[in-house]
Amino acid sequence: MLDLRPCARCAPAPGAAAGPRPPGGSRGSMKLRCLALPLVVLLTVGLFMSRKMFLSENKDPSPQHVERLIPSSLRLLPEEKYMSSFSYSGIRMFPKKPCKCEDPKVKHVDRFQDALQPDELESVKQRRKKEFEHFKKRYRTIPRGVLTAQPNSPLSYPLYGVELLPLSTTLLPGLGVHVEKAEPFQVTLTAALGAFNTLADVSSEMVQGRGEKEMTISSPHLELVNFILQHTTYTSTVYNIHDVDTVTLTMGPYVAYFPVLIRQPRLPWLHDPGAERNINSLVTIVTKTFLRYQKLNILIKSIHKYYPNITIIVADDNDQPEKILEPNVEQYFMPFAKGWFAGRNLAVSQVTTKYFLWVDDDFIFIENTTLEKLVDVLEATNLDLVGGNVDGNFFSFRLLYEEGDEDGDCVHWREGSYGPIEGFPNCVFTGGVVNFFMAHTVRVQSVGFDPKLARVAHTEFFIDGMGSLLVGSCKDITVGHQKRNDPVDPSRVENMKRYGGFRTNTGEQVTFKMQLHYFKNRLKCYTKN
């Protein structure tokens, strides 16, 4: 029990008279100082006892105790609440569930399976499934499954960053065992695509399985075990240019996993712009023409007005070819009506500059068609493609992927952009742009334009490029659009009628595109709002 009586220094002796006031203070202040000590002791002991009680109560709480203390933390939010918290533009991003095509808020839905005949659906599904399995095998670049770390594990290992060339060898950094007590140790390493060894000069009894997919280290000496682990190597034994092996590290009940990336780096493909490094050595202008020579000539003359020495490539699938006599124009002829995307492929395949600019054959260059601005954006960012606006109309859209099920995945088209591009206030990240864009030649060539799409096609290219092309759009760079004047020449009138017939989407073409998306892109639907 605490004694809270005043100390002898503060309390006067029995029967003693009050003495003189101490120098520098009053008698009252002295009493306060003397009372402070027992109060501080009381508070300190109280805090210690309460802390001890708190630690004791929380050392090993029972389920009933936890529920009594924090009942609300053991409940999940209502589904409608967290669904709204983890969505983007009305599309659920978490938790992962197979996407659905039915949504009353969506204005347009294409269900690609509907384009198939019922009697052929099952056969198409089986062929698509087989091709998808082959695709996943070829493009597997991440460890199979999720890797998790055990709590309080005595094992140390690399979490990320172990990488080597196919059939080469690397040290495995960070391997170690961390325990306080001495005991016999046995550590095992296992791999699927490689073999282990160690640079440590030790007996085969200590290290078993050198040069094999499984190697075991055994020793009663912790220092020796760690020395061997610190000098353990991994050698790629299965040739592949891009793969991931998952290494398993085991000691008794403790198991750890870490990825090893096996990758052949791509050699750079560099374009030499020459010592002058001007727009003519950096950019080639490409277009596709069909039954519109008059408009093509207007476009070429407008280009030469602002860029007289730039190269222009024309893919031409007219039935009555006309030779373009303008300077710096390369004209490539194709079979009649070969198609829109086939022409794009041909034109882009002949580009030898770092970038190309795509324009339609009825565009016209104006004062604000400044190609140098588009080059600046591509040079300063990691964009693969950047678009502008046509006749002052800025157009960009987002393509959002949602994982599905065995019936396929979903792609959603939405207006707008993903956000601004730093350093370029008039530019945004987007999923697709208009037919006025500049791009890295090699990057677009790696995606290509599907020649099966012969007539109306645009968004299809950007769907094929999802996950491969980073796209942007800038509203301050403009190209003009030629006025739609009715031609007077009878032959031109006839060509315009024929052109309109080719440009119009037919029901058969729409059905074909839906079937193509269903099989090639493994999509079950496409929604647009």
Side-chain angles (χ1 to χ4, degrees):
M1 185 174 179
L2 292 175
D3 185 359
L4 300 181
R5 291 175 298 175
C7 62
R9 180 182 174 187
C10 300
R21 178 179 301 177
S26 64
R27 184 177 293 113
S29 64
M30 180 180 291
K31 289 181 178 180
L32 287 175
R33 287 196 300 270
C34 291
L35 286 173
L37 178 61
L39 287 174
V40 169
V41 172
L42 176 63
L43 289 172
T44 302
V45 172
L47 287 171
F48 173 77
M49 292 179 67
S50 64
R51 181 176 182 272
K52 182 178 180 182
M53 185 181 299
F54 177 81
L55 292 173
S56 175
E57 288 181 355
N58 287 276
K59 182 178 180 181
D60 187 16
S62 64
Q64 296 83 1
H65 182 69
V66 172
E67 185 175 358
R68 187 171 66 253
L69 286 176
I70 46 174
S72 61
S73 67
L74 302 180
R75 300 190 184 98
L76 294 176
L77 291 168
E79 184 174 351
E80 62 273 10
K81 187 169 183 179
Y82 66 73
M83 288 280 286
S84 62
S85 300
F86 305 113
S87 63
Y88 179 80
S89 194
I91 299 167
R92 181 185 66 245
M93 296 298 178
F94 179 84
K96 289 185 177 181
K97 292 183 179 180
C99 61
K100 295 182 179 180
C101 302
E102 297 77 16
D103 188 344
K105 299 178 182 178
V106 174
K107 297 178 181 178
H108 178 84
V109 179
D110 286 327
R111 296 174 180 83
F112 298 132
Q113 183 174 301
D114 296 346
L116 298 166
Q117 296 297 324
D119 59 345
E120 65 177 351
L121 178 59
E122 190 58 36
S123 174
V124 172
K125 278 187 175 181
Q126 292 303 318
R127 296 199 306 271
R128 188 182 73 163
K129 181 179 179 181
K130 183 178 180 180
E131 290 299 316
F132 184 53
E133 291 301 321
H134 185 218
F135 172 85
K136 289 192 295 184
K137 181 180 178 181
R138 292 179 61 231
Y139 290 95
R140 175 172 49 85
T141 59
I142 58 175
R144 302 177 183 91
V146 176
L147 304 181
T148 58
Q150 283 187 331
N152 302 320
S153 172
L155 303 174
S156 64
Y157 49 92
L159 292 175
Y160 178 81
V162 180
E163 181 176 339
L164 73 162
L165 294 168
L167 306 182
S168 67
T169 301
T170 185
L171 281 170
L172 293 176
L175 295 180
V177 176
H178 306 273
V179 293
E180 294 182 359
K181 60 179 182 179
E183 56 184 72
F185 299 99
Q186 187 175 83
V187 180
T188 301
L189 290 150
T190 308
L193 305 176
F196 302 100
N197 211 321
T198 180
L199 304 180
D201 185 7
V202 292
S203 68
S204 58
E205 286 77 17
M206 289 185 182
V207 178
Q208 297 177 352
R210 287 178 181 262
E212 303 293 336
K213 292 183 177 180
E214 182 173 298
M215 186 176 80
T216 300
I217 302 167
S218 304
S219 174
H221 305 291
L222 178 61
E223 184 178 357
L224 180 56
V225 169
N226 280 330
F227 179 79
I228 297 171
L229 285 172
Q230 290 163 12
H231 296 88
T232 293
T233 63
Y234 173 96
T235 299
S236 162
T237 58
V238 179
Y239 183 78
N240 200 337
I241 61 171
H242 201 166
D243 213 331
V244 177
D245 197 359
T246 301
V247 173
T248 305
L249 176 64
T250 307
M251 186 185 75
Y254 302 103
V255 182
Y257 306 92
F258 60 90
V260 174
L261 178 62
I262 304 163
R263 184 173 68 92
Q264 173 64 58
R266 290 182 58 186
L267 293 181
W269 186 325
L270 308 179
H271 291 270
D272 183 6
E276 68 279 4
R277 193 178 176 81
N278 57 36
I279 196 69
N280 303 316
S281 63
L282 284 170
V283 180
T284 300
I285 298 175
V286 295
T287 190
K288 157 80 171 56
T289 193
F290 180 67
L291 300 175
R292 299 200 296 189
Y293 280 123
Q294 184 179 14
K295 292 185 177 296
L296 175 64
N297 285 318
I298 293 173
L299 167 67
I300 292 173
K301 290 183 183 299
S302 73
I303 293 173
H304 283 163
K305 178 181 177 180
Y306 297 98
Y307 299 97
N309 298 314
I310 202 165
T311 299
I312 304 170
I313 293 178
V314 179
D316 186 340
D317 60 348
N318 285 282
D319 57 344
Q320 298 178 2
E322 297 179 13
K323 180 64 177 175
I324 304 299
L325 301 177
E326 294 286 340
N328 304 316
V329 175
E330 299 176 11
Q331 187 177 12
Y332 294 90
F333 296 106
M334 308 166 63
F336 174 63
K338 182 62 177 176
W340 172 229
F341 271 14
R344 277 188 161 186
N345 275 332
L346 174 58
V348 173
S349 72
Q350 300 306 303
V351 175
T352 59
T353 52
K354 185 177 183 179
Y355 305 114
F356 73 87
L357 178 81
W358 181 268
V359 290
D360 284 351
D361 60 356
D362 62 345
F363 287 173
I364 185 170
F365 274 38
I366 58 178
E367 188 70 31
N368 197 31
T369 311
T370 48
L371 305 189
E372 291 82 359
K373 286 186 177 181
L374 292 174
V375 171
D376 288 344
V377 175
L378 291 174
E379 293 277 300
T381 67
N382 59 344
L383 289 175
D384 298 303
L385 182 154
V386 60
N389 75 69
V390 179
D391 244 5
N393 297 313
F394 179 67
F395 178 67
S396 70
F397 58 88
R398 294 166 292 165
L399 290 173
L400 306 173
Y401 167 83
E402 191 177 7
E403 191 173 347
D405 48 25
E406 63 180 11
D407 288 333
D409 304 319
C410 305
V411 167
H412 308 282
W413 187 103
R414 298 293 184 267
E415 290 183 345
S417 69
Y418 303 116
I421 298 175
E422 185 178 357
F424 296 91
N426 294 307
C427 305
V428 293
F429 291 106
T430 184
V433 296
V434 292
N435 284 335
F436 170 55
F437 60 83
M438 186 178 290
H440 282 267
T441 303
V442 174
R443 296 294 296 132
V444 169
Q445 287 173 342
S446 69
V447 174
F449 302 89
D450 193 338
K452 294 186 181 75
L453 299 168
R455 298 292 170 260
V456 181
H458 180 71
T459 305
E460 290 80 2
F461 162 68
F462 293 102
I463 290 177
D464 287 344
M466 291 180 71
S468 298
L469 299 178
L470 185 61
V471 181
S473 191
C474 301
K475 62 184 178 182
D476 59 333
I477 302 140
T478 305
V479 71
H481 197 283
Q482 296 177 36
K483 295 180 179 179
R484 292 178 174 86
N485 295 330
D486 294 330
V488 177
D489 187 339
S491 63
R492 302 292 185 192
V493 173
E494 180 61 25
N495 277 344
M496 289 304 295
K497 289 181 180 179
R498 295 173 66 200
Y499 177 81
F502 278 98
R503 183 169 180 171
T504 304
N505 243 339
T506 65
E508 183 180 355
Q509 290 166 359
V510 171
T511 298
F512 173 75
K513 283 201 289 187
M514 292 176 67
Q515 294 171 345
L516 189 66
H517 282 309
Y518 179 79
F519 198 106
K520 183 184 76 172
N521 302 120
R522 198 182 168 273
L523 296 176
K524 66 179 178 181
C525 68
Y526 168 85
T527 74
K528 188 173 182 179
N529 238 2

